[in-house]
Amino acid sequence: GVRDVMFLYEENRCSMTYMYEYPEYLKIKLPKKTARRYPAYELYLYGEGSYAEENKNLLLTGIPVLFLPGNAGSYKQVRSLGSIALRKAEDVDFKYHFNFFSVNFNEELVALYGGSLQRQTKFVHECIKVILKLYRDQEFAPSSVAIVGHSMGGLVARALLTLKNFKPELINLLITQATPHIAPVMPLDRYLTDFYTAVNNHWILKAQDLRNLTTLSVAGGFRDYQVRSGLAFLPRLSQHDSALSVVSSAVPKAWASTDHLSIVWCKELILATIRAFFDLIDENTRQITEDPKKRMSVLNHHFVRHPAKMFEENPEAFTNLTGAFTWITVKGSKWTYSVYNDSDGKYFVFPLASHRKSYSHVYCENSMLDTSSWIYGCMNTISSMCLEAADLSWRAELLPTTKASVVMLKLLDYPSLSHIVIQVPPAVGNKYTLGCEFFKEDSRTVQLPVTHLFSFGLSSSKILLNSSGLLYNVQLQHFNQIYQAFKIYIDSHCQPLKERKPSVYRLHIPWSYEDSITVAKVPSLAEVSAKLHIAQPHNDSSLPELIIYSSPDCQYEVSKHCPFMLLFQIVRFHAGAFPVYIVSNILLTYGGQLSTLKSTGQCSDFSLELVRTAKPYKVEPLISIVVFLQGFNWFREIWESLSLPEVDAAVLSSQDAWFPLVSLILFLFGTGIAYWSGVFFSTSLRLFSSLWLTLIRPTELQKDKLITPRRLCGMISLALVSWTTCGAFAVLIIYLQYLFKNSSTHAVQAQSSVDSIPEATQSPSNSKTLAEAVNSLKMHITILNLFTWIVLLNLPSFIYWLKNLRYNVRLDPDPCRSTAIILACILEILMSSSTSEVKSSKLLKIAAKVPLPLSVAMLAFGRMHLYRVPHFVTFSLLLHVLCCFV
């Protein structure tokens, strides 16, 4: 599954964007108060060559666009947008042009540490005010700013509307690129999850106030393994009809999946964005239009359905067909026409009266892309000529590689049309083909059943199409959930021809804009991956389709195979929950070791205890029962009265991101990783102890007191470090100290076992001491394993603090400050503890039973809140410390 997510995806079909002149970034001077409050952040204006020189005096006359970088993103990522917009402005002689600004967030890791998101949001608000002041004395001064946000930058842009003193009219257009809108990818601290909750709740509750803001979210598709596209879809609100979410693989003229970084420089996608920007300009104000309907029309034109025509705000409904063209009537149901160096224009007329009884649809394609109209519907005819016609070219859409626009019309939707007219203008030096066919929908539709979850990749199905037409629809029955993932193989066989157009295979998902298109030569074997980004809504009954734009006289064999692609979807949708399941397994093992210590007086080996105690049936059934009962109002009321948070599995189920057996599979993955982590730590300690023995040769095992003045000083020092600098830094110090202590203990034990006298003559006290040391070491290895995951989960805030150390010594807010102080005190005591103190404790029975309910609670409340995991582990270790004294 990891291999599929990380490596097995389509090749990069994006072209790189290049600058024609050297890019320059002009730093904008901020007010002193703003610069003092946000010393790490800056605002820049992008420019190139002479354009950059002209803007150095900041007498700007263009349209302001603000770019917000994402997690660890650079302000220089604006160069692709800025450069292509500059080239486009040169094409129109700078009648209109855009000024691209970019914010420097110091490449902060905001996807892993949420403490700075609110600070970034407030800084962007100040930047918008500064930008608008630069245009204050201009003739066409803007009153709003368009924003393009990459990754977390898009979320920061949405968060602007949650600020109390922010005026919504300051933004009229927001485009986000690979932004996780629904939830954080890795919820590592509560500041991150609280920020998401505040933003999404505001957008739901204030949806009516956002109707003048047009929002476009572009997801990267399956190449983006950092942010899955399902997270990038904006929440669907019936009150908010000015939001659009698309996957880059479905964007016309791009048709390519992008990874998380290439989405900011993918030439095909940037071109679509810049074309949309220029079509959004109002000629009267020379700024982006204030009409929300026009903004949505433009975005739909460039990002959803491109008819191979230039955008027109109000296209003429009817037109008169004039010109010295020859009128030719076509009575057959199939028609093809090739044009090469034809100096005479023609109108081909298809009477509909004779076709309505036998056929339900008409499909036409045209390889001549000159952005002019080419297909019309006649409303009035005199003999074979049409006086007035409706332009049906707006119903067409582009196809890749074949350089064709295609249109399919349902005849029942056009009862007033009497004829279809195809216009063929003179073609001097050009070669292109046109084709039309009438067909009955049933004759071109076949059904391919999709296997259920329990097929385990062993089932397959196959259909055979003998193509006599230009279009076929393969309906994928019961394909509506994210766990249904499979591959479709299309094997085409055709009669030999010198020149044959390639076939286009389109996987169409009707409930979201996540189509993917595959172009294949004929004959060939093509592979289409059928995977969903979001599940089918409950109120939608439409069927996904594999649309085959075929070549006549070809045979297509369509087969479906399920090579264990369920694992791909599990890793893609739930890889972030792996730490929870791993720690849950280790915690169950830890509880088992305490239980064995109580019953036998010996601490069992980690690997053996993991096999014995880490069973999914101990934790999963209870969570499933709670999720089931939460479907009843009475139980939900009791649950809420106890102020308990909602179970994460119930939230994921409501988002259609939870599917059968996923928790069991994740638990088994966690067991495997926990097992090998135990092997790793045991091996690592042996290596460290061997190194220690080469440096120092200890003579005997020493017994330390649990609390000494030196340890108290260590606790106080670490508490001060945590309070004055960064909690994660204190956690890392105590972790390294604990690791060093156990390595030296292992070395002492090894040396003692080597130097000890033969067992037959060995004194009982020496034997008992050595056995006690072995038991203690086994317990310490498990604690070290648990503590390692706490360190890893807190590591992002440490990296953030380290990177911003030059601006502030103290991390504020700090998500793990209080936890770090408690852990420092616990581990200072535990590192010198032994099993001899624990096994005689009155609290050992309780301490051995607590890890099981803690593991259940961890899986119930930690999947979507990883920052809760250290709290459960800390509580368990705290009981261990109490066992040393009571």
Side-chain angles (χ1 to χ4, degrees):
V2 174
R3 175 173 165 267
D4 281 355
V5 171
M6 302 290 288
F7 305 108
L8 297 185
Y9 42 70
E10 67 179 62
E11 62 180 355
N12 185 14
R13 299 207 295 261
C14 283
S15 305
M16 175 62 78
T17 49
Y18 295 98
M19 285 74 253
Y20 290 90
E21 298 176 274
Y22 190 79
E24 295 185 35
Y25 304 90
L26 177 64
K27 185 176 178 180
I28 305 297
K29 187 176 181 181
L30 299 172
K32 291 183 179 179
K33 184 178 179 181
T34 303
R36 190 166 53 250
R37 186 178 299 173
Y38 309 101
Y41 302 157
E42 298 167 324
L43 177 65
Y44 288 88
L45 172 65
Y46 178 81
E48 293 179 18
S50 58
Y51 171 77
E53 287 294 325
E54 293 171 4
N55 286 335
K56 283 187 176 178
N57 55 11
L58 294 180
L59 297 176
L60 307 178
T61 58
I63 303 168
V65 179
L66 178 60
F67 176 79
L68 305 180
N71 178 59
S74 168
Y75 66 95
K76 295 182 179 181
Q77 289 174 318
V78 73
R79 59 183 177 266
S80 295
L81 284 165
S83 182
I84 289 182
L86 184 58
R87 303 284 85 77
K88 180 75 172 174
E90 289 175 350
D91 292 342
V92 296
D93 295 327
F94 282 91
K95 180 182 179 182
Y96 310 113
H97 70 279
F98 289 85
N99 302 127
F100 276 85
F101 297 84
S102 184
V103 173
N104 178 16
F105 284 136
N106 195 32
E107 299 183 8
E108 292 179 337
L109 299 173
V110 286
L112 303 177
Y113 169 74
S116 64
L117 283 169
Q118 194 68 22
R119 191 183 306 120
Q120 287 190 0
T121 305
K122 292 178 180 179
F123 179 73
V124 172
H125 184 200
E126 297 299 322
C127 288
I128 291 174
K129 291 189 284 188
V130 170
I131 290 169
L132 292 177
K133 282 183 182 179
L134 296 175
Y135 297 85
R136 190 166 43 193
D137 300 326
Q138 301 302 322
E139 181 181 358
F140 298 99
S143 59
S144 61
V145 174
I147 295 181
V148 178
H150 172 240
S151 187
M152 295 298 288
L155 187 72
V156 169
R158 288 180 63 211
L160 284 168
L161 297 157
T162 65
L163 299 178
K164 291 182 179 179
N165 57 345
F166 184 78
K167 298 177 181 178
E169 57 269 19
L170 292 179
I171 309 175
N172 56 9
L173 178 66
L174 170 60
I175 297 178
T176 65
Q177 302 170 327
T179 297
H181 292 293
I182 302 297
V185 178
M186 293 291 287
L188 292 173
D189 63 61
R190 63 181 178 87
Y191 304 113
L192 192 57
T193 55
D194 289 350
F195 189 81
Y196 265 90
T197 302
V199 172
N200 286 328
N201 286 346
H202 182 87
W203 276 60
I204 292 171
L205 297 173
K206 302 289 184 179
Q208 290 287 352
D209 300 338
L210 304 177
R211 302 194 75 172
N212 289 326
L213 171 63
T214 303
T215 310
L216 169 68
S217 175
V218 183
F222 289 108
R223 278 187 63 86
D224 188 352
Y225 58 83
Q226 295 183 46
V227 177
R228 62 178 177 87
S229 297
L231 292 177
F233 278 68
L234 291 161
R236 296 185 178 186
L237 303 174
S238 56
Q239 305 94 333
H240 191 202
D241 55 0
S242 57
L244 180 65
S245 301
V246 299
V247 179
S248 60
S249 60
V251 175
K253 296 188 177 183
W255 296 299
S257 176
T258 62
D259 60 57
H260 196 63
L261 290 179
S262 69
I263 199 169
V264 300
W265 55 255
C266 177
K267 184 177 180 180
E268 291 77 7
L269 207 54
I270 299 298
L271 282 170
T273 305
I274 297 302
R275 291 183 187 121
F277 269 130
F278 276 85
D279 284 341
L280 286 165
I281 297 174
D282 186 329
E283 292 186 0
N284 297 321
T285 63
R286 296 198 175 185
Q287 297 294 327
I288 290 178
T289 178
E290 296 295 327
D291 183 4
K293 290 184 178 179
K294 180 182 177 180
R295 293 199 295 259
M296 283 303 294
S297 297
V298 170
L299 294 180
N300 274 285
H301 179 91
H302 289 282
F303 288 91
V304 178
R305 187 187 184 98
H306 198 298
K309 288 171 62 67
M310 303 293 286
F311 174 78
E312 294 180 27
E313 184 176 358
N314 296 305
E316 294 183 3
F318 302 101
T319 184
N320 294 323
L321 300 180
T322 58
F325 284 19
T326 305
W327 290 80
I328 302 173
T329 302
V330 180
K331 295 183 179 180
S333 61
K334 296 180 182 178
W335 169 80
T336 56
Y337 184 73
S338 297
V339 184
Y340 182 66
N341 275 338
D342 192 349
S343 59
D344 298 325
K346 296 178 177 63
Y347 285 124
F348 290 92
V349 184
F350 299 81
L352 296 182
S354 59
H355 294 305
R356 289 186 183 275
K357 295 180 182 179
S358 304
Y359 306 107
S360 61
H361 290 72
V362 59
Y363 169 83
C364 296
E365 61 183 21
N366 172 21
S367 64
M368 175 189 63
L369 294 180
D370 60 357
T371 70
S372 60
S373 299
W374 60 279
I375 181 169
Y376 303 89
C378 268
M379 310 293 292
N380 185 18
T381 59
I382 296 179
S383 65
S384 62
M385 297 179 64
C386 185
L387 296 179
E388 190 177 45
D391 191 351
L392 300 177
S393 304
W394 295 105
R395 301 287 302 165
E397 60 180 327
L398 279 173
L399 285 183
T401 303
T402 56
K403 296 181 179 179
S405 59
V406 300
V407 61
M408 185 170 69
L409 306 173
K410 187 176 181 180
L411 297 181
L412 287 176
D413 293 341
Y414 301 90
S416 60
L417 295 186
S418 59
H419 294 72
I420 296 290
V421 178
I422 303 293
Q423 179 182 356
V424 182
V428 179
N430 294 325
K431 183 178 181 180
Y432 57 90
T433 59
L434 301 98
C436 283
E437 65 172 344
F438 291 84
F439 61 89
K440 201 169 184 177
E441 186 176 19
D442 295 343
S443 65
R444 299 298 176 85
T445 303
V446 293
Q447 295 178 337
L448 185 67
V450 174
T451 50
H452 54 75
L453 174 65
F454 301 102
S455 61
F456 295 108
L458 303 176
S459 64
S460 63
S461 51
K462 186 183 297 185
I463 57 175
L464 194 64
L465 300 175
N466 290 307
S467 174
S468 59
L470 302 173
L471 180 76
Y472 282 89
N473 284 341
V474 180
Q475 293 182 343
L476 305 175
Q477 290 182 306
H478 313 298
F479 180 42
N480 50 24
Q481 298 297 328
I482 58 170
Y483 58 79
Q484 296 170 299
F486 51 93
K487 290 185 182 293
I488 300 175
Y489 295 97
I490 307 168
D491 193 4
S492 57
H493 302 279
C494 302
Q495 297 179 1
L497 286 177
K498 288 184 178 180
E499 187 175 341
R500 188 183 290 275
K501 68 172 186 177
S503 293
V504 178
Y505 311 122
R506 180 176 197 153
L507 182 63
H508 174 58
I509 311 299
W511 57 80
S512 65
Y513 301 116
E514 56 176 281
D515 292 11
S516 59
I517 295 180
T518 303
V519 180
K521 296 180 179 180
V522 180
S524 66
L525 176 64
E527 178 185 296
V528 177
S529 293
K531 302 182 291 284
L532 295 176
H533 294 292
I534 59 173
Q536 185 177 27
H538 299 294
N539 58 352
D540 195 314
S541 60
S542 55
L543 290 175
E545 295 177 324
L546 176 67
I547 304 174
I548 300 177
Y549 298 95
S550 56
S551 295
D553 304 320
C554 288
Q555 185 182 71
Y556 294 86
E557 185 181 279
V558 183
S559 57
K560 178 183 66 64
H561 300 274
C562 306
F564 296 98
M565 290 184 67
L566 170 65
L567 298 179
F568 173 96
Q569 293 296 75
I570 287 179
V571 173
R572 185 164 189 81
F573 279 79
H574 301 287
F578 277 169
V580 182
Y581 286 90
I582 297 167
V583 176
S584 177
N585 274 275
I586 300 173
L587 199 57
L588 286 172
T589 307
Y590 170 68
Q593 286 180 315
L594 291 176
S595 180
T596 306
L597 184 65
K598 180 183 180 302
S599 59
T600 66
Q602 303 293 322
C603 183
S604 56
D605 185 71
F606 177 84
S607 301
L608 296 175
E609 198 61 42
L610 178 70
V611 174
R612 189 179 72 86
T613 57
K615 305 295 184 184
Y617 59 77
K618 293 183 178 181
V619 293
E620 290 299 332
L622 185 59
I623 298 174
S624 300
I625 291 170
V626 171
V627 172
F628 172 75
L629 290 175
Q630 281 192 333
F632 299 97
N633 291 330
W634 61 268
F635 185 83
R636 199 180 304 115
E637 290 173 1
I638 296 173
W639 190 268
E640 291 173 356
S641 66
L642 296 173
S643 299
L644 291 172
E646 193 170 3
V647 177
D648 289 347
V651 178
L652 290 169
S653 297
S654 66
Q655 297 174 357
D656 294 318
W658 197 250
F659 44 91
L661 297 181
V662 63
S663 191
L664 174 62
I665 295 172
L666 289 172
F667 191 93
L668 296 177
F669 285 172
T671 305
I673 297 173
Y675 176 86
W676 287 108
S677 67
V679 173
F680 171 78
F681 279 111
S682 299
T683 307
S684 299
L685 279 176
R686 289 192 182 96
L687 291 174
F688 286 139
S689 62
S690 300
L691 181 62
W692 179 256
L693 282 172
T694 59
L695 301 174
I696 299 174
R697 192 174 181 83
T699 56
E700 61 179 2
L701 290 165
Q702 296 180 351
K703 176 77 173 167
D704 293 338
K705 291 183 179 180
L706 293 176
I707 296 181
T708 62
R710 182 179 178 182
R711 284 208 177 82
L712 285 173
C713 290
M715 293 179 195
I716 295 171
S717 300
L718 287 171
L720 286 174
V721 168
S722 177
W723 188 259
T724 58
T725 58
C726 172
F729 182 42
V731 169
L732 184 62
I733 292 173
I734 192 67
Y735 173 75
L736 294 175
Q737 187 179 347
Y738 195 90
L739 182 65
F740 174 78
K741 175 73 175 178
N742 280 281
S743 298
S744 60
T745 303
H746 190 281
V748 172
Q749 176 202 326
Q751 185 62 36
S752 299
S753 62
V754 169
D755 295 343
S756 62
I757 55 180
E759 189 174 348
T761 59
Q762 190 173 342
S763 67
S765 61
N766 285 341
S767 177
K768 185 178 179 181
T769 303
L770 190 60
E772 202 63 55
V774 171
N775 287 330
S776 299
L777 187 62
K778 289 178 180 179
M779 185 62 70
H780 285 308
I781 287 175
T782 304
I783 295 173
L784 190 63
N785 203 345
L786 273 174
F787 196 48
T788 300
W789 287 98
I790 295 179
V791 172
L792 291 175
L793 290 173
N794 289 322
L795 201 58
S797 61
F798 170 72
I799 296 172
Y800 179 92
W801 168 78
L802 204 61
K803 194 171 183 179
N804 290 272
L805 196 57
R806 57 180 172 169
Y807 301 108
N808 204 335
V809 176
R810 189 173 191 260
L811 180 64
D812 189 32
D814 190 342
C816 58
R817 179 171 289 128
S818 56
T819 307
I821 294 173
I822 297 171
L823 279 172
C825 297
I826 289 173
L827 291 178
E828 277 284 359
I829 297 172
L830 283 182
M831 70 174 63
S832 298
S833 67
S834 67
T835 54
S836 59
E837 297 134 350
V838 176
K839 63 185 177 183
S840 59
S841 172
K842 297 177 182 179
L843 292 176
L844 181 57
K845 185 177 180 180
I846 298 174
K849 291 183 177 180
V850 162
L852 176 58
L854 287 179
S855 295
V856 175
M858 191 184 299
L859 293 184
F861 306 114
R863 289 186 183 108
M864 298 178 66
H865 305 83
L866 293 178
Y867 60 88
R868 292 173 178 168
V869 172
H871 304 331
F872 296 115
V873 176
T874 302
F875 183 77
S876 188
L877 294 179
L878 181 61
L879 286 177
H880 192 140
V881 169
L882 293 176
C883 288
C884 297
F885 298 100
V886 180

